[in-house]
Amino acid sequence: LKAPGEGDDVAARFALTSLARFSSQKGYDSNRDFVQTNYLKGIQSFQNKDIQAYLINQLNYLATDVAIDTLKKYLNDEILCEPVSQLFLSVRSEKAEQELLLNLPSATGKNQITIIKALGNLKSKSALDEITKLVGSSNVELQRTVLSALANIGDASSDSTMRNAAVKVGFEYEPTTAA
């Protein structure tokens, strides 16, 4: 594999994507495990984040909880947090949810938004308290993500929070989409 702008690796990427898709089929568990193990080794051996992100994205087809332990460290990386969070969403396991929850309190900026969005998509009731603490942020993108996550989780305890946000903007459209 080559980093963008360093040469032609279309054939290699085509082969790796095809292998990931083939191995994700029902009945190919041993192939899936082999491919997952080797893609995880590749992610750790490459230093280029574009290549790492590409391999992480290929794992979306076939990843299991095995990938969580190897990839959780990338939740702190500004570039790799997004593809890793997406992979955790595709795995949809308790282990994936727990790793996202563990990383939320220390996450900042774009990573914080990405993790909140993932927890909302997982409908993580365990994340309610941490996410609710962020209601009222002056950061419009963060506020939008927090309210969206609370809506996705759909817990009755968020009713007053959601209603207050909508009342605050007069039930009109605004950038946090509270209404």
Side-chain angles (χ1 to χ4, degrees), residues 1-14 16 46-55:
L1 290 174
K2 299 180 191 257
E6 291 185 6
D8 183 8
D9 65 351
V10 171
R13 287 179 187 251
F14 179 79
L16 290 169
F46 282 104
Q47 298 303 310
N48 182 283
K49 292 185 192 272
D50 289 319
I51 294 173
Q52 289 174 315
Y54 167 76
L55 290 170

Side-chain angles (χ1 to χ4, degrees), residues 13-62:
R13 287 179 187 251
F14 179 79
L16 290 169
T17 299
S18 297
L19 182 60
R21 294 187 106 187
F22 174 80
S23 301
S24 70
Q25 296 178 81
K26 186 175 183 177
Y28 290 90
D29 294 346
S30 63
N31 288 0
R32 182 188 64 227
D33 295 342
F34 175 80
V35 170
Q36 177 176 240
T37 299
N38 285 289
Y39 283 24
L40 290 170
K41 287 179 184 175
I43 291 163
Q44 294 175 82
S45 68
F46 282 104
Q47 298 303 310
N48 182 283
K49 292 185 192 272
D50 289 319
I51 294 173
Q52 289 174 315
Y54 167 76
L55 290 170
I56 292 167
N57 287 331
Q58 298 317 301
L59 282 173
N60 278 320
Y61 295 113
L62 51 93

Side-chain angles (χ1 to χ4, degrees), residues 38-124:
N38 285 289
Y39 283 24
L40 290 170
K41 287 179 184 175
I43 291 163
Q44 294 175 82
S45 68
F46 282 104
Q47 298 303 310
N48 182 283
K49 292 185 192 272
D50 289 319
I51 294 173
Q52 289 174 315
Y54 167 76
L55 290 170
I56 292 167
N57 287 331
Q58 298 317 301
L59 282 173
N60 278 320
Y61 295 113
L62 51 93
T64 64
D65 269 350
V66 171
I68 306 294
D69 287 330
T70 303
L71 299 178
K72 64 186 179 184
K73 66 184 175 189
Y74 298 114
L75 288 171
N76 296 318
D77 185 283
E78 241 180 81
I79 295 170
L80 298 176
C81 180
E82 178 76 30
V84 169
S85 294
Q86 289 174 3
L87 181 127
F88 284 17
L89 280 171
S90 71
V91 172
R92 286 201 175 275
S93 69
E94 187 176 316
K95 187 174 190 174
E97 180 183 349
Q98 289 304 313
E99 286 304 328
L100 289 164
L101 276 167
L102 286 171
N103 280 275
L104 179 56
S106 61
T108 59
K110 191 171 110 178
N111 290 2
Q112 182 183 40
I113 289 168
T114 298
I115 292 172
I116 291 168
K117 196 178 295 184
L119 288 165
N121 286 332
L122 288 172
K123 300 182 185 318
S124 174

